[in-house]
Amino acid sequence: MLQQLKAPKLPFRELDLLVKAIGECRSKQEEDRIIAAEVDTLKQRLSDPRLDKSRGREYMVRVIYCEMLGHDASFAYIPALQLASDPNLLTKKAAYVALTQLLDYKHELVLLLVNTLLSDLKSDNFVVVASALVVTSKLIGPDLVNAVLPLVIERLSHPRESVRKKAVMALLHFHQMDPERSGPMAGPSKKRTGS
């Protein structure tokens, strides 16, 4: 007797259907209609107080997809900030990716992300630390460097090479924002040169 094989359950089934529907569009208007419906669905789900956090990473990927196709995804900023503090590593990383795609360092909501970044920079999990350093090098602006600089410098002596590399990338980002070294980067460089 033949056993029936069960199809594997796709964790991103709705994303798969969305991508397929967009791929089959015959016009920009049809694509816009599909994405507008997707945006409405995501707005509803992300504003639900009983948000299913286990689906958070799928929602973040779908938000990025909508933004990538030119539709406003500002409704997802706050949920993405909330999901960035989720203990689930995959959800946290998806939220971090969404935030780096949706915001820039000048956005006022980045200030709300600083506490999550500080907590993640202190984590024992090197993947969490590395993810926080990547976000730091993309979203921390000149006005917030002082908040994270001591922890970034500490990560230069982390046992994992990948974390040390990301800490150097963050310091490079800080230096590029302040090439004259007149801000937060002035202190450490003067101490090293003996000035």
Side-chain angles (χ1 to χ4, degrees), residues 64-119:
I64 293 169
Y65 198 72
C66 291
E67 178 84 9
M68 182 179 72
L69 292 173
H71 292 261
D72 179 44
S74 60
F75 64 90
Y77 294 174
I78 299 297
L81 286 167
Q82 293 167 340
L83 290 170
S85 60
D86 194 87
N88 180 301
L89 183 60
L90 294 175
T91 301
K92 177 184 288 292
K93 287 188 73 156
Y96 274 163
V97 169
L99 288 167
T100 59
Q101 297 304 308
L102 300 173
L103 304 178
D104 68 356
Y105 74 89
K106 296 175 185 170
H107 200 283
E108 65 268 4
L109 288 178
V110 172
L111 183 62
L112 298 176
L113 184 61
V114 171
N115 281 338
T116 301
L117 287 174
L118 291 174
S119 169

Side-chain angles (χ1 to χ4, degrees), residues 87 89 120-131 158 163:
L89 183 60
D120 288 349
L121 287 170
K122 295 175 187 173
S123 175
D124 293 333
N125 185 333
F126 80 95
V127 177
V128 172
V129 175
S131 298
H158 195 276
V163 172

